[in-house]
Amino acid sequence: MRSSPADRIVFDLDDTLYLERDFAFSGFAAVGHWVEARHGVPGFAAMCRALFDSPHRPAIFDEALRRTGLTDRQTVGELVGIYRDHDPRIALCPDAARYLDRRGGMFGLITDGPDRMQRNKIAALGLSRHFDQIIPTGQWGAGFGKPHPRAFQEIEAAAPDRRCVYVADNPRKDFVTPNRMGWITVQICRPGRVHLVSPPDRAHAAQRVIETFDQLDAALSAD
């Protein structure tokens, strides 16, 4: 079973098309090389990776600097800048690559995060050959990330009379707005995803749930 060619399928980016932890580990490697070159301290990237699945994740660089004794010699802000601006070494999840290649159409993308960081990811993944409408909400500044409707409204305006579909991972912010707008919403629950969260209420829940894009067409064909 396949989704209808009339569908306007729109994807999230992080933990939807690729694993966000892969970007994090790529960023840690870039930061680690910089820390070693500047301070002569090896192993910073490995320390960050070890902290990623710990309670220290929200402040990884603070904790890694503390453990390496660099707190008074290095600012977290500089490390965050290196992390965000590096050229990432990431790849599409195999099922995402299969789906995009097999279906052969053009898709939409809505993604939150700093504009340059998200555009670096988009370039690294080579998404321009599959996507004709790419919206990093960070291009508009603070306040326009999901669940703000602006990005969804732009997709709708460019796709009149088509059924819009949003495929994403985070029920805290991804689905409440497209649900309200009458879209079909699909949550992909990838092993290894960062946001292991439940929807706060029914309005935030996706209408359909899958574990791989190999299930997406069947999910969209379901009544």
Side-chain angles (χ1 to χ4, degrees), residues 32-57:
H33 290 313
W34 191 89
V35 167
E36 184 167 7
R38 180 168 181 174
H39 299 293
V41 176
F44 196 86
M47 184 175 298
C48 291
R49 287 178 65 124
L51 291 168
F52 187 77
D53 289 316
S54 80
H56 294 289
R57 183 190 296 172

PDB file of all heavy atoms in Angstrom, residues 32-57:
ATOM      1  N   GLY A  32      36.138  18.286  20.487  1.00  0.00           N
ATOM      2  CA  GLY A  32      37.280  17.594  21.072  1.00  0.00           C
ATOM      3  C   GLY A  32      38.586  17.918  20.363  1.00  0.00           C
ATOM      4  O   GLY A  32      39.625  18.118  21.009  1.00  0.00           O
ATOM      5  N   HIS A  33      38.561  17.960  19.021  1.00  0.00           N
ATOM      6  CA  HIS A  33      39.764  18.329  18.270  1.00  0.00           C
ATOM      7  C   HIS A  33      40.218  19.743  18.641  1.00  0.00           C
ATOM      8  O   HIS A  33      41.413  20.006  18.804  1.00  0.00           O
ATOM      9  CB  HIS A  33      39.499  18.248  16.767  1.00  0.00           C
ATOM     10  CG  HIS A  33      39.331  16.859  16.246  1.00  0.00           C
ATOM     11  ND1 HIS A  33      40.201  15.833  16.576  1.00  0.00           N
ATOM     12  CD2 HIS A  33      38.407  16.321  15.407  1.00  0.00           C
ATOM     13  CE1 HIS A  33      39.811  14.716  15.966  1.00  0.00           C
ATOM     14  NE2 HIS A  33      38.728  14.990  15.261  1.00  0.00           N
ATOM     15  N   TRP A  34      39.253  20.640  18.789  1.00  0.00           N
ATOM     16  CA  TRP A  34      39.573  22.032  19.117  1.00  0.00           C
ATOM     17  C   TRP A  34      40.154  22.147  20.521  1.00  0.00           C
ATOM     18  O   TRP A  34      41.147  22.854  20.730  1.00  0.00           O
ATOM     19  CB  TRP A  34      38.305  22.870  18.977  1.00  0.00           C
ATOM     20  CG  TRP A  34      38.533  24.344  19.035  1.00  0.00           C
ATOM     21  CD1 TRP A  34      38.810  25.179  17.991  1.00  0.00           C
ATOM     22  CD2 TRP A  34      38.505  25.159  20.205  1.00  0.00           C
ATOM     23  NE1 TRP A  34      38.962  26.467  18.450  1.00  0.00           N
ATOM     24  CE2 TRP A  34      38.785  26.490  19.804  1.00  0.00           C
ATOM     25  CE3 TRP A  34      38.274  24.907  21.564  1.00  0.00           C
ATOM     26  CZ2 TRP A  34      38.829  27.553  20.700  1.00  0.00           C
ATOM     27  CZ3 TRP A  34      38.323  25.960  22.463  1.00  0.00           C
ATOM     28  CH2 TRP A  34      38.590  27.265  22.031  1.00  0.00           C
ATOM     29  N   VAL A  35      39.562  21.449  21.473  1.00  0.00           N
ATOM     30  CA  VAL A  35      40.049  21.502  22.852  1.00  0.00           C
ATOM     31  C   VAL A  35      41.470  20.943  22.942  1.00  0.00           C
ATOM     32  O   VAL A  35      42.337  21.515  23.630  1.00  0.00           O
ATOM     33  CB  VAL A  35      39.097  20.725  23.786  1.00  0.00           C
ATOM     34  CG1 VAL A  35      39.735  20.499  25.159  1.00  0.00           C
ATOM     35  CG2 VAL A  35      37.776  21.479  23.939  1.00  0.00           C
ATOM     36  N   GLU A  36      41.716  19.853  22.230  1.00  0.00           N
ATOM     37  CA  GLU A  36      43.065  19.279  22.282  1.00  0.00           C
ATOM     38  C   GLU A  36      44.086  20.218  21.648  1.00  0.00           C
ATOM     39  O   GLU A  36      45.204  20.382  22.167  1.00  0.00           O
ATOM     40  CB  GLU A  36      43.094  17.919  21.585  1.00  0.00           C
ATOM     41  CG  GLU A  36      44.448  17.224  21.695  1.00  0.00           C
ATOM     42  CD  GLU A  36      44.408  15.772  21.298  1.00  0.00           C
ATOM     43  OE1 GLU A  36      43.352  15.316  20.805  1.00  0.00           O
ATOM     44  OE2 GLU A  36      45.440  15.084  21.473  1.00  0.00           O
ATOM     45  N   ALA A  37      43.691  20.847  20.512  1.00  0.00           N
ATOM     46  CA  ALA A  37      44.623  21.764  19.849  1.00  0.00           C
ATOM     47  C   ALA A  37      44.894  23.000  20.704  1.00  0.00           C
ATOM     48  O   ALA A  37      46.033  23.490  20.756  1.00  0.00           O
ATOM     49  CB  ALA A  37      44.058  22.174  18.486  1.00  0.00           C
ATOM     50  N   ARG A  38      43.886  23.491  21.379  1.00  0.00           N
ATOM     51  CA  ARG A  38      44.049  24.733  22.157  1.00  0.00           C
ATOM     52  C   ARG A  38      44.647  24.492  23.529  1.00  0.00           C
ATOM     53  O   ARG A  38      45.482  25.271  23.998  1.00  0.00           O
ATOM     54  CB  ARG A  38      42.703  25.421  22.294  1.00  0.00           C
ATOM     55  CG  ARG A  38      42.766  26.723  23.084  1.00  0.00           C
ATOM     56  CD  ARG A  38      41.518  27.528  22.963  1.00  0.00           C
ATOM     57  NE  ARG A  38      41.599  28.782  23.708  1.00  0.00           N
ATOM     58  CZ  ARG A  38      40.673  29.740  23.668  1.00  0.00           C
ATOM     59  NH1 ARG A  38      39.601  29.587  22.908  1.00  0.00           N
ATOM     60  NH2 ARG A  38      40.814  30.843  24.361  1.00  0.00           N
ATOM     61  N   HIS A  39      44.202  23.415  24.183  1.00  0.00           N
ATOM     62  CA  HIS A  39      44.594  23.209  25.588  1.00  0.00           C
ATOM     63  C   HIS A  39      45.504  21.998  25.806  1.00  0.00           C
ATOM     64  O   HIS A  39      45.975  21.788  26.932  1.00  0.00           O
ATOM     65  CB  HIS A  39      43.336  23.041  26.456  1.00  0.00           C
ATOM     66  CG  HIS A  39      42.425  24.227  26.445  1.00  0.00           C
ATOM     67  ND1 HIS A  39      42.772  25.437  26.994  1.00  0.00           N
ATOM     68  CD2 HIS A  39      41.166  24.385  25.940  1.00  0.00           C
ATOM     69  CE1 HIS A  39      41.767  26.301  26.846  1.00  0.00           C
ATOM     70  NE2 HIS A  39      40.780  25.684  26.205  1.00  0.00           N
ATOM     71  N   GLY A  40      45.708  21.198  24.764  1.00  0.00           N
ATOM     72  CA  GLY A  40      46.528  20.010  24.928  1.00  0.00           C
ATOM     73  C   GLY A  40      45.875  18.934  25.766  1.00  0.00           C
ATOM     74  O   GLY A  40      46.551  18.087  26.340  1.00  0.00           O
ATOM     75  N   VAL A  41      44.540  18.947  25.825  1.00  0.00           N
ATOM     76  CA  VAL A  41      43.793  17.974  26.636  1.00  0.00           C
ATOM     77  C   VAL A  41      43.085  16.997  25.700  1.00  0.00           C
ATOM     78  O   VAL A  41      42.140  17.376  24.996  1.00  0.00           O
ATOM     79  CB  VAL A  41      42.771  18.681  27.540  1.00  0.00           C
ATOM     80  CG1 VAL A  41      41.929  17.651  28.295  1.00  0.00           C
ATOM     81  CG2 VAL A  41      43.468  19.617  28.505  1.00  0.00           C
ATOM     82  N   PRO A  42      43.515  15.732  25.652  1.00  0.00           N
ATOM     83  CA  PRO A  42      42.839  14.744  24.803  1.00  0.00           C
ATOM     84  C   PRO A  42      41.614  14.158  25.501  1.00  0.00           C
ATOM     85  O   PRO A  42      41.432  14.322  26.714  1.00  0.00           O
ATOM     86  CB  PRO A  42      43.911  13.675  24.604  1.00  0.00           C
ATOM     87  CG  PRO A  42      44.699  13.727  25.885  1.00  0.00           C
ATOM     88  CD  PRO A  42      44.706  15.170  26.320  1.00  0.00           C
ATOM     89  N   GLY A  43      40.784  13.488  24.735  1.00  0.00           N
ATOM     90  CA  GLY A  43      39.681  12.717  25.300  1.00  0.00           C
ATOM     91  C   GLY A  43      38.424  13.509  25.615  1.00  0.00           C
ATOM     92  O   GLY A  43      37.490  12.958  26.214  1.00  0.00           O
ATOM     93  N   PHE A  44      38.368  14.783  25.223  1.00  0.00           N
ATOM     94  CA  PHE A  44      37.186  15.587  25.551  1.00  0.00           C
ATOM     95  C   PHE A  44      35.947  15.050  24.836  1.00  0.00           C
ATOM     96  O   PHE A  44      34.864  14.974  25.428  1.00  0.00           O
ATOM     97  CB  PHE A  44      37.426  17.053  25.168  1.00  0.00           C
ATOM     98  CG  PHE A  44      36.459  18.017  25.791  1.00  0.00           C
ATOM     99  CD1 PHE A  44      36.685  18.531  27.056  1.00  0.00           C
ATOM    100  CD2 PHE A  44      35.318  18.418  25.113  1.00  0.00           C
ATOM    101  CE1 PHE A  44      35.791  19.424  27.644  1.00  0.00           C
ATOM    102  CE2 PHE A  44      34.422  19.306  25.680  1.00  0.00           C
ATOM    103  CZ  PHE A  44      34.658  19.807  26.951  1.00  0.00           C
ATOM    104  N   ALA A  45      36.071  14.663  23.579  1.00  0.00           N
ATOM    105  CA  ALA A  45      34.923  14.138  22.827  1.00  0.00           C
ATOM    106  C   ALA A  45      34.406  12.852  23.453  1.00  0.00           C
ATOM    107  O   ALA A  45      33.187  12.658  23.587  1.00  0.00           O
ATOM    108  CB  ALA A  45      35.309  13.905  21.371  1.00  0.00           C
ATOM    109  N   ALA A  46      35.316  11.961  23.838  1.00  0.00           N
ATOM    110  CA  ALA A  46      34.901  10.698  24.449  1.00  0.00           C
ATOM    111  C   ALA A  46      34.170  10.951  25.764  1.00  0.00           C
ATOM    112  O   ALA A  46      33.194  10.262  26.092  1.00  0.00           O
ATOM    113  CB  ALA A  46      36.115   9.806  24.676  1.00  0.00           C
ATOM    114  N   MET A  47      34.621  11.942  26.517  1.00  0.00           N
ATOM    115  CA  MET A  47      33.952  12.278  27.768  1.00  0.00           C
ATOM    116  C   MET A  47      32.532  12.773  27.498  1.00  0.00           C
ATOM    117  O   MET A  47      31.576  12.398  28.186  1.00  0.00           O
ATOM    118  CB  MET A  47      34.745  13.327  28.533  1.00  0.00           C
ATOM    119  CG  MET A  47      34.180  13.662  29.897  1.00  0.00           C
ATOM    120  SD  MET A  47      35.251  14.792  30.807  1.00  0.00           S
ATOM    121  CE  MET A  47      36.729  13.796  30.948  1.00  0.00           C
ATOM    122  N   CYS A  48      32.380  13.625  26.491  1.00  0.00           N
ATOM    123  CA  CYS A  48      31.047  14.127  26.144  1.00  0.00           C
ATOM    124  C   CYS A  48      30.128  12.998  25.702  1.00  0.00           C
ATOM    125  O   CYS A  48      28.946  12.960  26.074  1.00  0.00           O
ATOM    126  CB  CYS A  48      31.152  15.192  25.052  1.00  0.00           C
ATOM    127  SG  CYS A  48      31.926  16.739  25.584  1.00  0.00           S
ATOM    128  N   ARG A  49      30.664  12.082  24.935  1.00  0.00           N
ATOM    129  CA  ARG A  49      29.849  10.943  24.497  1.00  0.00           C
ATOM    130  C   ARG A  49      29.393  10.119  25.702  1.00  0.00           C
ATOM    131  O   ARG A  49      28.245   9.658  25.763  1.00  0.00           O
ATOM    132  CB  ARG A  49      30.644  10.056  23.529  1.00  0.00           C
ATOM    133  CG  ARG A  49      30.841  10.661  22.161  1.00  0.00           C
ATOM    134  CD  ARG A  49      31.676   9.756  21.266  1.00  0.00           C
ATOM    135  NE  ARG A  49      30.989   8.506  20.975  1.00  0.00           N
ATOM    136  CZ  ARG A  49      30.740   8.065  19.744  1.00  0.00           C
ATOM    137  NH1 ARG A  49      31.125   8.770  18.695  1.00  0.00           N
ATOM    138  NH2 ARG A  49      30.128   6.908  19.552  1.00  0.00           N
ATOM    139  N   ALA A  50      30.272   9.918  26.646  1.00  0.00           N
ATOM    140  CA  ALA A  50      29.926   9.139  27.836  1.00  0.00           C
ATOM    141  C   ALA A  50      28.863   9.836  28.665  1.00  0.00           C
ATOM    142  O   ALA A  50      28.043   9.187  29.318  1.00  0.00           O
ATOM    143  CB  ALA A  50      31.175   8.880  28.671  1.00  0.00           C
ATOM    144  N   LEU A  51      28.850  11.162  28.639  1.00  0.00           N
ATOM    145  CA  LEU A  51      27.883  11.934  29.412  1.00  0.00           C
ATOM    146  C   LEU A  51      26.539  12.083  28.709  1.00  0.00           C
ATOM    147  O   LEU A  51      25.566  12.492  29.324  1.00  0.00           O
ATOM    148  CB  LEU A  51      28.450  13.335  29.703  1.00  0.00           C
ATOM    149  CG  LEU A  51      29.633  13.415  30.660  1.00  0.00           C
ATOM    150  CD1 LEU A  51      30.255  14.817  30.621  1.00  0.00           C
ATOM    151  CD2 LEU A  51      29.199  13.066  32.079  1.00  0.00           C
ATOM    152  N   PHE A  52      26.483  11.733  27.432  1.00  0.00           N
ATOM    153  CA  PHE A  52      25.288  11.997  26.630  1.00  0.00           C
ATOM    154  C   PHE A  52      24.059  11.286  27.177  1.00  0.00           C
ATOM    155  O   PHE A  52      22.952  11.837  27.168  1.00  0.00           O
ATOM    156  CB  PHE A  52      25.531  11.587  25.177  1.00  0.00           C
ATOM    157  CG  PHE A  52      24.429  11.978  24.242  1.00  0.00           C
ATOM    158  CD1 PHE A  52      24.301  13.285  23.800  1.00  0.00           C
ATOM    159  CD2 PHE A  52      23.513  11.036  23.785  1.00  0.00           C
ATOM    160  CE1 PHE A  52      23.291  13.668  22.928  1.00  0.00           C
ATOM    161  CE2 PHE A  52      22.494  11.396  22.920  1.00  0.00           C
ATOM    162  CZ  PHE A  52      22.378  12.707  22.488  1.00  0.00           C
ATOM    163  N   ASP A  53      24.210  10.072  27.637  1.00  0.00           N
ATOM    164  CA  ASP A  53      23.080   9.307  28.168  1.00  0.00           C
ATOM    165  C   ASP A  53      23.016   9.366  29.689  1.00  0.00           C
ATOM    166  O   ASP A  53      22.471   8.463  30.331  1.00  0.00           O
ATOM    167  CB  ASP A  53      23.145   7.861  27.689  1.00  0.00           C
ATOM    168  CG  ASP A  53      22.840   7.735  26.205  1.00  0.00           C
ATOM    169  OD1 ASP A  53      21.875   8.375  25.748  1.00  0.00           O
ATOM    170  OD2 ASP A  53      23.572   7.008  25.499  1.00  0.00           O
ATOM    171  N   SER A  54      23.538  10.425  30.250  1.00  0.00           N
ATOM    172  CA  SER A  54      23.511  10.622  31.699  1.00  0.00           C
ATOM    173  C   SER A  54      22.656  11.838  32.040  1.00  0.00           C
ATOM    174  O   SER A  54      22.253  12.594  31.152  1.00  0.00           O
ATOM    175  CB  SER A  54      24.939  10.841  32.212  1.00  0.00           C
ATOM    176  OG  SER A  54      25.344  12.187  31.977  1.00  0.00           O
ATOM    177  N   PRO A  55      22.386  12.064  33.312  1.00  0.00           N
ATOM    178  CA  PRO A  55      21.639  13.271  33.696  1.00  0.00           C
ATOM    179  C   PRO A  55      22.358  14.577  33.357  1.00  0.00           C
ATOM    180  O   PRO A  55      21.760  15.649  33.442  1.00  0.00           O
ATOM    181  CB  PRO A  55      21.482  13.106  35.213  1.00  0.00           C
ATOM    182  CG  PRO A  55      21.580  11.644  35.464  1.00  0.00           C
ATOM    183  CD  PRO A  55      22.576  11.149  34.464  1.00  0.00           C
ATOM    184  N   HIS A  56      23.632  14.491  32.950  1.00  0.00           N
ATOM    185  CA  HIS A  56      24.393  15.697  32.632  1.00  0.00           C
ATOM    186  C   HIS A  56      24.165  16.174  31.195  1.00  0.00           C
ATOM    187  O   HIS A  56      24.748  17.187  30.792  1.00  0.00           O
ATOM    188  CB  HIS A  56      25.890  15.449  32.839  1.00  0.00           C
ATOM    189  CG  HIS A  56      26.277  15.213  34.261  1.00  0.00           C
ATOM    190  ND1 HIS A  56      26.262  16.215  35.217  1.00  0.00           N
ATOM    191  CD2 HIS A  56      26.673  14.079  34.896  1.00  0.00           C
ATOM    192  CE1 HIS A  56      26.650  15.712  36.379  1.00  0.00           C
ATOM    193  NE2 HIS A  56      26.903  14.426  36.217  1.00  0.00           N
ATOM    194  N   ARG A  57      23.342  15.477  30.416  1.00  0.00           N
ATOM    195  CA  ARG A  57      23.173  15.844  29.014  1.00  0.00           C
ATOM    196  C   ARG A  57      22.813  17.321  28.806  1.00  0.00           C
ATOM    197  O   ARG A  57      23.367  17.957  27.899  1.00  0.00           O
ATOM    198  CB  ARG A  57      22.122  14.965  28.323  1.00  0.00           C
ATOM    199  CG  ARG A  57      21.982  15.292  26.824  1.00  0.00           C
ATOM    200  CD  ARG A  57      20.791  14.602  26.191  1.00  0.00           C
ATOM    201  NE  ARG A  57      20.923  13.166  26.198  1.00  0.00           N
ATOM    202  CZ  ARG A  57      19.947  12.334  25.833  1.00  0.00           C
ATOM    203  NH1 ARG A  57      18.772  12.817  25.462  1.00  0.00           N
ATOM    204  NH2 ARG A  57      20.140  11.025  25.862  1.00  0.00           N
TER     205      ARG A  57
END
